[in-house]
Amino acid sequence: MAFGTLKADTLTHSTAGSLATNYVVNGAAKQWVLYDSVVSTTSVDNSFNTSSVTDEGTGDTTVAITNSMSNGLYSMSGLCSDFHVADKDAAGADPTASQYRICTFYVSNTDGTRTFNAEDRTSVQIFGDLA
């Protein structure tokens, strides 16, 4: 069986109208992951373009990207089941084209003291240009 190539500049629907294909490509998440860091070995529940998730300590996780981004300047968002999510400010590491660190914590004092905490549902999505 041979596979061909489908090329289109515009997607058109009979009632919804048309949309340029680059809008779809540019607006789609390039990587996402849902993981559990409460278990003894951090486990990935579901993901796209994620090669590994490494436990760096309580509430500190490194996520490796399968197909690298063009650089470390991509948009990242995330959330977890109970506490806050942060990136380099908490972990001390800037995102790179091939990986980023995520920390889950809560502010435990009025002076801004953070307490790192493992979470059973942490999800992160990144948007940007693939390499």
Side-chain angles (χ1 to χ4, degrees):
M1 177 189 296
F3 293 100
T5 301
L6 175 63
K7 293 184 180 184
D9 294 327
T10 305
L11 299 175
T12 303
H13 186 272
S14 61
T15 59
S18 298
L19 181 65
T21 55
N22 65 343
Y23 182 81
V24 175
V25 171
N26 291 336
K30 302 306 187 293
Q31 184 272 335
W32 58 265
V33 63
L34 172 65
Y35 66 91
D36 181 348
S37 62
V38 173
V39 293
S40 60
T41 303
T42 299
S43 67
V44 174
D45 296 324
N46 207 340
S47 69
F48 172 73
N49 196 23
T50 305
S51 57
S52 67
V53 175
T54 305
D55 185 355
E56 305 288 354
T58 301
D60 185 1
T61 306
T62 296
V63 178
I65 304 167
T66 304
N67 298 300
S68 294
M69 303 299 287
S70 61
N71 56 46
L73 302 174
Y74 42 80
S75 175
M76 178 189 312
S77 63
L79 58 95
C80 56
S81 54
D82 294 317
F83 301 100
H84 303 284
V85 177
D87 66 345
K88 66 176 183 169
D89 294 329
D94 287 330
T96 69
S98 60
Q99 69 180 24
Y100 57 89
R101 284 178 78 171
I102 290 294
C103 292
T104 54
F105 61 89
Y106 60 94
V107 177
S108 57
N109 201 331
T110 56
D111 67 0
T113 303
R114 294 178 286 195
T115 300
F116 288 80
N117 193 70
E119 293 292 328
D120 62 349
R121 290 186 58 84
T122 300
S123 64
V124 183
Q125 309 80 40
I126 61 173
F127 297 83
D129 294 326
L130 290 170

